[in-house]
């Protein structure tokens, strides 16, 4: 263990004992604490860049922190494309950056990015001559792919799914799902709630991700050592939402963090940066702004410098509170400065907290036969539903942020939807009947 | 740089990429996805689906017509080893009790105002898959430019956009070997002729088998292929590992390998032919389904669509899985049966697999795409007939088992999505080509049993020469629809994969 590997982004005064073990990233050791994700461990050491993107070899580092985006992919103990935000730090884990020619920080092929400022049009690459075309495509193939083929498992045994039937399945144990689950359980329903987070409790199936609604019958969920084929008479979909990147130049740079990642980092005693700008879009709701402003307070309390907030209203607590939104993010390998919208103000910083729109997680509702048209006001696809969560599918309900409501109303909505579930159930209702969207 | 902000960070798709796609005429979500590649990476569109819809909306697409692309299972990357469960297989879905011909799958609504139909055309082609579009191109190239292609959904919505992209000369009949030799030549020149890359990669096809009766077939086929100049070699199982080092050969009896076979990326093929045809005057009309065929005095006089009628004296049926249905509209019965075939794709990895590998006897096939993903499928002997494009858990399990068995190192590789398309199966494995006896002016180009994609480049060329120049290739005599009613038909094609 190298004694020089101090953790420069720990919240001052938060820890009285040293870290517990080390993990390795690209050959260097980093101290880590149990309970941190690999993404947070590396962030604590100021490691922002963990790999390179598929086409232009742009730098990549954690953004969403919840296993939704694909920004923090790396090879972990020879397994490719692991989301570091979903991997718990453990002693001697071996993490390697992917798609790197050189180092994650200085990648030779990142020259592609500035050699082709207009973008590289792969459809029309070298189509003038048969010979050149052949060579260009062969080269492109050699450069393709993220990660390497992993070794064969030494002790592979085909898993056996655990098959269960319940009256009600709630998907998602956020505020809405939890509230719905509690009401249904209190009413004596045979109910389970599934969530990818390691939540626990009676009827709570934590650490399982629902990977689809198969054969108009099974909710299939996968965990580290668990595989579940679940059948339910009624389903409450509280799948929540996915934080979206800002749509400004430089929007994919490492050092741009979602609100939820920031909350997690702070809860783990880790600062996302020393100088942090917090921004929200002009269209942000008052609830989002309130969350963002609370985050500013936490960041200041934790010892970060907040030179400015953008779009959070006046007197946010930062040195400067600008009403305008985000204009551009600047930096080579990671965030170095943030431009306010409309030009003029530029703030040097090492992190940008983006409190952006949350797009409903429509995928499972759609697979269960709900219509999910685009809603411009929500900037996302919202499953069609009534106020109490009922949908065109008699046995499928939606609750919480997936319906486009604000996070602070999710718990109340979950409870209301649970009442609709209780009211709707007819005696002897059999398994979920859904007409699937075909194709 | 304006427009350089990334919309899809998994595949590095910028805002200007999306705007260019829209300018190129890809104005629905499914088409933009295919042209730009957004939403095909590890996050499967979670971070970009609504951004792209927002861009389309800002360019004038009405919100109520904007839907996300079909969310495919698994919704989170899932290891093949986790899907390859032991024990009993899940039952068939939707199962044999489903009617033989289900209503056609729902497709996204047309995104923008559609151009009006022409009143008449010299030729109407039904089906905007590879066969229809390539035929339009070759008709126009040979002087028949007043051609309309009618497609019921978006380009690439059918089997042409859902297949594994394999292209091979290893066949069991002389005609197919020669056709495919010609097709591969055309593919290698496609980018220069039609101005778009199709990513042809000649990594070969490696057929393997553990069935003694298949070894005899391999010997017979390889002798035929060698006689026709195709350099296929018969390999012992151990020799096959020189081509695919991670191959499990424990149960294998032998293999054959032709280095000239390969894979390509299906979608740009269709755009290339469509644009080539349009540049020469043909019209490609999407989101317009055919509902009837006008016949007067035993001769076609027009095509009826849900949006009106086009008068014409020549109709080409290139509707593949829907071809028998189109036949019925003209009162002609064809023996083809649509049959679902499922397929999946994994995360992308650095190149490690050179050829397409296929198991004779089980129908397993897989290859590594130009982008590094493992793409593959596996036929199901229990699959009932019918136009059906939903995915099943049974396939996910069967396919994962088969892949992990054949290449154990794939156990930790993660599946990103699975989908399905339809084979257009004929009784003898050969296509139905040419005019029919029952109705004049009704030309057939279908029944390719899942291999129409690779055969289209050559077949469409001969259709063009036949209809525009009167040069009749032997494929039209040998593959007439009438053969099924006659004794002593031509030799059945046995090398059907999938």
């Amino acid at each position: 263990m190298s004694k020089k590997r101090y953790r420069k982004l720990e919240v001052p005064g938060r820890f009285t004992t040293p870290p517990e073990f080390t993990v390795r990233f690209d050959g260097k050791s980093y101290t880590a604490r149990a309970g941190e994700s690999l993404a947070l461990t590396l962030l604590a050491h100021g490691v922002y860049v963990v790999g390179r993107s598929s086409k232009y070899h742009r730098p990549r580092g954690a953004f969403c922190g919840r296993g939704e985006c694909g920004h923090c992919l790396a090879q972990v103990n020879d397994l490719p494309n692991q989301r570091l935000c979903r991997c718990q730090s453990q002693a001697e884990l071996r993490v390697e950056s992917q798609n790197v020619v050189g180092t994650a920080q200085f990648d030779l092929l990142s020259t592609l990015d500035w050699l082709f400022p207009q973008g590289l049009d792969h459809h029309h690459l070298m189509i003038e001559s048969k010979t050149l075309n052949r060579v260009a495509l062969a080269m492109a193939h050699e450069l393709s792919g993220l990660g390497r083929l992993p070794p064969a498992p030494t002790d592979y045994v085909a898993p056996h799914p655990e098959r269960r039937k319940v009256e009600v399945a709630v998907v998602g144990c956020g505020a809405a799902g939890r509230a719905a689950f509690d009401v249904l359980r209190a009413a004596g329903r045979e109910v389970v709630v599934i969530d990818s987070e390691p939540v626990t409790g009676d009827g709570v199936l934590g650490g399982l991700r629902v990977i689809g609604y198969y054969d108009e019958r099974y909710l299939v969920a996968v965990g580290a050592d668990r595989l579940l084929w679940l059948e339910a008479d009624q389903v409450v979909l509280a799948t929540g939402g996915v934080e979206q990147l800002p749509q400004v130049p430089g929007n994919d740079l490492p050092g741009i963090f979602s609100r939820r990642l920031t909350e997690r980092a702070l809860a783990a005693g880790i600062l996302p940066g020393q100088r942090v700008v917090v921004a929200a879009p002009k269209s942000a709701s008052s609830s989002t702004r309130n969350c963002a402003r609370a985050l500013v307070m936490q960041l200041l309390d934790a010892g970060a410098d907040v030179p400015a907030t953008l779009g959070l209203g006046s007197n946010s607590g930062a040195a400067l509170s600008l009403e305008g939104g985000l204009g551009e993010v600047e930096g080579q390998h990671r965030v170095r400065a943030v431009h306010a919208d409309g030009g003029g103000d530029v703030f040097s910083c090492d992190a940008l907290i983006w409190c952006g729109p949350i797009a409903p997680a429509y995928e499972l509702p759609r697979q269960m036969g709900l219509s999910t048209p685009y809603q411009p006001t929500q900037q996302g696809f919202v499953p069609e539903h009534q106020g109490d969560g009922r949908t065109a599918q008699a046995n499928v309900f939606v609750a919480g942020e997936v319906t486009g409501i604000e996070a602070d109303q999710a718990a109340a909505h979950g409870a209301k939807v649970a009442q609709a579930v209780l009211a709707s159930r007819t005696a002897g209702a059999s398994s979920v009947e859904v007409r699937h969207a075909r194709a | 740089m304006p427009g350089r902000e990334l919309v899809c960070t998994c595949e590095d798709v910028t805002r200007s990429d999306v705007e260019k796609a829209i300018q190129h005429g890809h104005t629905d979500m499914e088409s933009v996805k295919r042209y730009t590649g957004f939403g095909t990476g590890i996050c499967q569109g979670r971070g970009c689906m609504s951004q792209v819809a927002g861009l389309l909306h800002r360019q004038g697409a009405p919100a109520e017509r904007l839907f996300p692309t079909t969310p495919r299972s698994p919704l989170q990357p899932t290891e093949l080893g986790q899907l390859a469960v032991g024990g009993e297989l899940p039952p068939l879905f939707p199962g044999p009790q489903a009617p033989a011909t289900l209503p056609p799958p729902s497709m996204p609504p047309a995104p923008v105002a559609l151009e009006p139909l022409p009143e008449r055309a010299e030729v109407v082609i039904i089906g905007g898959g590879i066969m229809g579009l390539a035929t339009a191109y070759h008709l126009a190239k040979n002087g028949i430019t007043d051609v309309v292609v009618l497609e019921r959904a978006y380009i690439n919505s059918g089997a042409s956009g859902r297949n594994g992209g394999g292209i091979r000369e290893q066949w069991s009949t002389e005609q197919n070997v020669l056709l495919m030799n010609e097709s591969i030549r055309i593919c290698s020149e496609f980018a220069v002729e039609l101005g778009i890359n199709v990513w042809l990669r000649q990594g070969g096809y490696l057929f393997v088998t553990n069935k003694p009766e298949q070894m005899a077939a391999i010997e017979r086929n390889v002798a035929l292929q060698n006689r026709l100049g195709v350099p296929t070699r018969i390999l012992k199982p151990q020799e096959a590992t020189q081509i695919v080092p991670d191959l499990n050969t424990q149960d294998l009896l032998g293999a054959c390998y032709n280095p000239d076979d390969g894979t390509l990326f299906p979608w740009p093929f269709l755009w290339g032919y469509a644009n080539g045809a349009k540049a020469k005057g043909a019209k490609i009309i999407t989101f317009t389904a055919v509902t009837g065929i006008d016949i007067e005095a035993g001769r076609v006089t027009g095509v009826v669509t849900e949006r009106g009628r086009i008068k014409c004296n020549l109709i080409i049926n290139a509707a593949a899985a829907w071809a028998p249905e189109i036949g019925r509209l003209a009162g002609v019965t064809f023996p083809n049966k649509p049959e679902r075939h499922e397929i999946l794709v994994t995360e992308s990895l650095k190149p490690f697999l050179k050829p397409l590998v296929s198991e004779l006897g089980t129908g397993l096939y897989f290859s590594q795409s130009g982008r590094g993903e493992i793409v593959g499928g596996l036929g199901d002997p229990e699959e009932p007939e019918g136009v059906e494009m939903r995915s099943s858990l049974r396939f996910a399990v069967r396919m994962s088992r088969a892949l992990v068995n054949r290449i154990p190192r794939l156990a930790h590789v993660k599946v990103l999505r699975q989908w399905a398309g339809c084979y257009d199966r004929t009784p003898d494995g050969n296509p139905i080509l040419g005019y029919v006896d029952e109705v004049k002016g009704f030309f057939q180009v279908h029944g390719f049993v899942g291999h129409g994609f690779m055969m289209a480049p050559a077949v469409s060329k001969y259709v063009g020469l036949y209809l525009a120049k009167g040069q009749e290739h032997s494929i039209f005599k040998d593959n007439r629809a009438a053969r099924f009613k006659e004794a002593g038909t031509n030799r059945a094609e046995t090398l059907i994969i999938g």
Side-chain angles (χ1 to χ4, degrees), chain A residues 315-333:
Chain A
N315 299 323
S316 67
L320 251 177
S321 309
L322 297 182
E323 299 278 358
L326 178 66
E328 187 181 335
V329 188
E330 197 186 306
Q332 274 287 316
H333 313 299

Side-chain angles (χ1 to χ4, degrees), chain A residues 18 26-27 51 124 163 185 249 273 288 327 368 372:
Chain A
D26 281 351
H124 304 108
R163 292 173 177 235
R185 195 174 163 78
T288 302
M368 296 198 75
T372 57

Side-chain angles (χ1 to χ4, degrees), chain A residues 35 43 71 79 99 104 131 153 183 190-191 200 259 266 284 294 303 313 332 336 357 363 371 387 403 407 428 430:
Chain A
L43 182 58
H71 283 215
L79 297 187
N99 210 28
T131 315
V183 169
E190 182 201 7
V191 56
T200 54
R259 175 161 63 80
L266 288 168
Q332 274 287 316
R336 288 298 180 202
E363 291 87 353
S371 181
T403 66
S430 62

Side-chain angles (χ1 to χ4, degrees), chain A residues 261-345:
Chain A
L261 180 141
T262 309
E263 285 164 358
R264 281 183 185 211
L266 288 168
I270 296 162
L271 283 166
Q274 312 281 8
R275 275 174 70 81
V276 185
V277 171
V278 183
K282 277 179 255 180
S283 59
S285 65
S286 58
S287 153
T288 302
R289 280 183 199 212
N290 289 341
C291 289
R293 291 168 71 100
L295 209 51
V296 174
M297 288 304 143
Q298 282 188 56
L299 285 163
L300 289 169
D301 282 348
D305 183 13
V306 184
T309 60
L310 306 174
L312 266 56
S314 55
N315 299 323
S316 67
L320 251 177
S321 309
L322 297 182
E323 299 278 358
L326 178 66
E328 187 181 335
V329 188
E330 197 186 306
Q332 274 287 316
H333 313 299
R334 46 180 278 205
V335 175
R336 288 298 180 202
V338 161
H339 297 236
D341 199 8
D345 296 307

Side-chain angles (χ1 to χ4, degrees), chain A residues 53-54 56 60 68 71 80-81 83 99 113 123-125 133 145-147 156 159 211 216 251-252 438, chain B residues 4 6 9-10 12 35 46 66 71 73 75-76 81-82 86 195 197 202 347-348 350 390 393 409 414:
Chain A
S53 72
S54 58
Y56 298 122
R60 286 283 177 267
E68 299 287 2
H71 283 215
N81 294 317
R83 285 167 162 143
N99 210 28
D113 202 21
H123 290 312
H124 304 108
L125 181 73
N133 188 257
L146 286 177
Y156 178 72
I211 61 164
E216 299 179 3
N251 61 345
D252 62 328
R438 289 177 196 275
Chain B
R4 246 349 262 287
L6 289 168
T9 51
C10 294
D12 281 354
Y35 194 77
R46 274 181 174 64
L66 282 171
S73 290
L75 295 174
Q76 290 288 344
Q82 280 180 304
N197 279 317
Q202 286 170 282
E347 63 192 316
S348 89
K350 293 288 173 200
R390 284 174 289 182
L393 183 57
R409 286 186 72 177
K414 299 186 281 299

